[in-house]
Amino acid sequence: RGLLAATKKDHGDKISNWQENWEGDTGNFSFRAMGFDVSGELQVTDENVEFKGKVPIALSMFKGKIEELIKEKAAGLLSK
């Protein structure tokens, strides 16, 4: 939950229509960024965090940067 909250806090000026729902260790989310709808799921276990997301084709050129940002944020939160 900290990863999604931190992302919203850090990039709230670029994100709208934020929705988040947690059931146990699984979080589903969706939001609108730069005019595009983004959605996904986070599955948290004792060993790792698995991220599955849907990013529009128009944003696919940013896929590497998005993955890097998520890994960076997750690593920082898990090390606490």
Side-chain angles (χ1 to χ4, degrees):
R1 292 182 186 143
L3 176 62
L4 297 178
T7 302
K8 185 177 179 183
K9 180 182 174 191
D10 293 346
H11 303 285
D13 60 327
K14 299 175 192 84
I15 296 173
S16 63
N17 300 332
W18 185 270
Q19 295 187 21
E20 178 180 351
N21 180 45
W22 284 89
E23 290 186 29
D25 294 331
T26 302
N28 292 292
F29 65 91
S30 63
F31 58 88
R32 191 158 181 84
M34 298 168 36
F36 296 98
D37 293 321
V38 178
S39 64
E41 176 183 285
L42 287 172
Q43 181 77 33
V44 181
T45 68
D46 290 337
E47 291 82 33
N48 60 40
V49 176
E50 182 177 323
F51 171 79
K52 296 177 187 173
K54 295 179 184 176
V55 178
I57 290 185
L59 295 179
S60 63
M61 65 182 164
F62 299 109
K63 181 181 177 186
K65 184 66 176 167
I66 293 168
E67 288 176 350
E68 180 183 322
L69 175 67
I70 291 168
K71 289 177 185 178
E72 200 174 278
K73 293 271 188 196
L77 290 169
L78 291 173
S79 66
K80 292 181 180 181

